[in-house]
């Protein structure tokens, strides 16, 4: 029987993803601080930055899936990691040269987003190849646990490092993380070459894209999950865009406190990752998916409530820490369950295209949502938009409410 924690080959891949996620978390705290505190970005400019980081999912999300289905997954992951390492390393170079400007961050974010498109599509398609279809749930739980450990440690360590390092220098550490992650990927072994069947004829790229997109749209459970993810994606993109302004400027939290709030949320995510398998075994996939999607809205509720309590910084911080912890429990339970469900339902030859099609629909909305968050918060006020994102989070659970009727008994 597969035991992810005892399998040396899986452990190498597990280490790969853990290091990459740790690098992502350092970048997650460094970029907003560079933008808001060093370069004095406005709401609209933060919207442009977040739009740049996710634009590739809209532009290349669909063809990326067809390309990755044609390519070997591990070399794709390595190339994506090295690209991200090179891109983020440009920031400290520009900073020490005295030339760093906000538009440089737009370009870096766009390149990292481009590489992330290919990394994420290949990553989700690589796990079934590495561990087998029947072991996907256990593998995803362990992978998500390491992601949450990275989210727990990354912002905290990042916040402490910012006491002695400039934020752009922290991005140099991000580049090193991606580089080391690539080394572990090189040492990982897989049997994809032996599992691949040579195509009987050269297929048209757009025909392959249509096949993957059609599968997502016509598979009832996957289409419902995709719609739920789309609605929640819009809500969370609004949050990603506006939260740095809320916590750093309006509430007045320090960079260390901001990092600590992210770490507390990650601790909740770690709890969720440990609970997902047991909850699914006890209550069933359908109930876990829909109720965890609803519970995840608690995290979004933290920020408008914190603004209402902004006159008392300790109270505002307590709201963010408490609801962030609870909301992240639900977020991780939902993410693990819905990703595992999609991987189990989808035929192996369609996995990359299915993942890419879902990413195109869900993540493709992010650049538009980021721009809208910046513009609408300028026009209507940040508080109004924060309540809108809470409402969207609640609505996102609606498509999942009757998902059980579309699942077979063994999966349900």
């Amino acid at each position: 029987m597969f035991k992810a924690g005892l399998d040396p080959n899986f452990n190498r891949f597990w280490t790969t993803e853990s290091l990459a996620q740790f690098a992502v978390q350092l970048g997650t705290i460094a970029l907003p601080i560079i933008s808001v505190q060093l370069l004095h970005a406005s709401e609209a400019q933060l919207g442009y930055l977040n739009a740049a980081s996710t634009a590739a999912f809209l532009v290349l999300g669909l063809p990326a899936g067809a390309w990755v289905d044609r390519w070997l997954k591990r070399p794709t992951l390595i190339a994506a990691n090295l690209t991200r390492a090179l891109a983020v390393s440009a920031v400290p170079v520009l900073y020490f040269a005295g030339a760093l400007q906000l538009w440089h961050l737009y370009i870096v974010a766009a390149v990292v987003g481009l590489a992330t498109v290919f990394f994420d599509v290949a990553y989700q398609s690589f796990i079934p190849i590495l561990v087998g279809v029947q072991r996907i749930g256990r593998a995803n739980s362990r992978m998500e646990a390491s992601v949450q450990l990275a989210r727990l440690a990354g912002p905290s360590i990042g916040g402490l490092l910012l006491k002695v390092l400039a934020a752009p220098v922290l991005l140099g550490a991000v580049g090193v993380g991606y580089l080391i992650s690539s080394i572990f990927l090189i040492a990982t072994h897989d049997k994809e070459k032996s599992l691949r069947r040579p195509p009987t004829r050269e297929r048209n790229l757009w025909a392959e894209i249509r096949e993957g997109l059609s599968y997502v749209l016509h598979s009832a459970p996957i289409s419902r999950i995709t719609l739920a993810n789309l609605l929640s994606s819009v809500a969370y993109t609004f949050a990603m865009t506006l939260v740095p302004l809320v916590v750093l400027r309006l509430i007045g939290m320090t960079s260390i406190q901001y990092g600590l709030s992210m770490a507390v949320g990650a601790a909740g995510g770690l709890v969720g990752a440990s609970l997902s398998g047991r909850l699914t075994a006890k209550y069933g996939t359908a109930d876990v998916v829909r109720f965890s999607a609803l519970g995840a809205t608690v995290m979004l509720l933290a920020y408008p409530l914190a603004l209402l309590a902004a006159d008392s910084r300790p109270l505002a911080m307590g709201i963010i820490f408490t609801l962030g912890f609870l909301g992240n429990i639900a977020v991780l339970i939902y993410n693990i369950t819905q990703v595992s469900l999609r991987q189990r339902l989808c035929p192996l030859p369609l996995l990359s295209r299915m993942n890419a099609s879902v990413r195109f629909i869900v993540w493709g909305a992010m650049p538009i949502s980021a721009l809208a968050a910046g513009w609408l918060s300028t026009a209507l006020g940040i508080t109004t938009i924060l309540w809108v994102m809470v409402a969207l989070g609640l609505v996102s659970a609606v498509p999942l409410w009757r998902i059980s009727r579309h699942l077979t008994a063994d999966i349900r």
Side-chain angles (χ1 to χ4, degrees), residues 4-311:
L6 301 176
D7 185 290
N9 196 50
F10 182 83
N11 284 344
R12 283 190 286 270
F13 183 62
W14 194 0
T15 302
T16 290
E17 179 62 9
S18 300
L19 288 169
Q21 288 298 327
F22 188 76
V24 167
Q25 295 310 316
L26 289 179
T28 298
I29 189 171
L31 269 179
I33 290 171
I34 295 170
S35 305
V36 173
Q37 295 187 345
L38 293 184
L39 301 177
H40 310 292
S42 65
E43 293 96 323
Q45 288 170 328
L46 282 177
Y48 300 148
L49 181 62
N50 278 317
S53 68
T54 53
F57 285 93
L58 181 62
V59 177
L60 287 176
L62 287 176
W67 284 326
V68 172
D69 265 337
R70 295 178 175 187
W71 301 339
L72 293 173
K73 307 301 180 290
R74 191 164 58 91
T76 303
L77 292 166
I78 294 169
N81 257 353
L82 292 176
T83 300
R84 294 194 288 190
L86 187 62
V88 297
S89 297
V91 175
V93 172
L94 289 167
Y95 173 72
F96 283 114
L100 184 63
Q101 297 182 41
L102 200 56
W103 67 269
H104 292 137
L105 297 187
Y106 298 159
I107 295 174
V108 169
V111 173
V112 170
L114 175 65
T116 300
V117 169
F118 290 96
F119 186 92
D120 285 358
V121 171
Y123 157 71
Q124 288 193 345
S125 305
F126 187 59
I127 289 178
I129 294 169
L130 192 65
V131 304
V133 174
Q134 296 303 317
R135 299 159 182 169
I136 285 173
R138 296 179 67 187
N140 280 333
S141 292
R142 286 163 172 78
M143 298 296 284
E144 285 295 335
S146 68
V147 169
Q148 294 315 302
L149 283 172
R151 288 186 61 208
L152 179 63
S156 302
I157 293 174
L160 292 173
L161 288 175
L162 286 170
K163 296 292 284 185
V164 295
L165 297 175
V169 178
L170 192 57
L171 283 180
V174 173
V176 172
Y178 285 131
L179 182 60
I180 299 174
S181 173
S182 300
I183 294 171
F184 277 93
L185 261 175
I186 292 169
T188 301
H189 306 293
D190 65 84
K191 299 179 180 179
E192 185 179 6
K193 284 185 179 180
S194 63
L195 294 174
R196 291 171 69 91
R197 295 179 180 177
T200 55
R201 59 186 175 84
E202 185 67 25
R203 298 196 63 192
N204 179 272
L205 177 68
W206 295 106
E208 293 184 348
I209 290 172
R210 284 195 300 272
E211 186 179 8
L213 188 59
S214 176
Y215 176 78
V216 168
L217 295 177
H218 291 95
S219 168
I222 292 180
S223 64
R224 285 174 175 267
I225 290 171
T226 304
L227 178 57
N229 290 353
L230 172 62
L231 294 171
S232 63
S233 169
V234 174
Y236 285 101
T237 303
F238 274 51
M240 261 194 322
T241 304
L242 299 176
V243 162
L245 279 174
V246 171
V247 299
L248 294 172
R249 189 173 295 171
L250 299 182
I251 295 176
M253 289 167 57
T254 66
S255 58
I256 290 180
Q257 290 167 341
Y258 178 40
L260 185 58
S261 71
M262 296 169 68
V264 169
L270 189 60
V271 173
S274 68
L275 290 176
S276 63
R278 280 175 283 178
L279 290 174
T280 301
K282 184 173 182 178
Y283 298 107
T285 300
D287 282 343
V288 170
V289 163
R290 60 190 178 188
F291 284 110
S292 60
L294 190 62
T297 309
V298 167
M299 187 170 67
L300 298 172
L301 186 61
Y303 300 103
L305 289 181
L307 271 186
L308 291 176
D311 289 341

Side-chain angles (χ1 to χ4, degrees), residues 356-375:
S357 297
V358 173
R359 291 271 177 167
F360 168 75
I361 295 168
V362 175
W363 287 61
M366 287 185 173
I368 299 169
S369 302
L371 293 173
W375 294 334

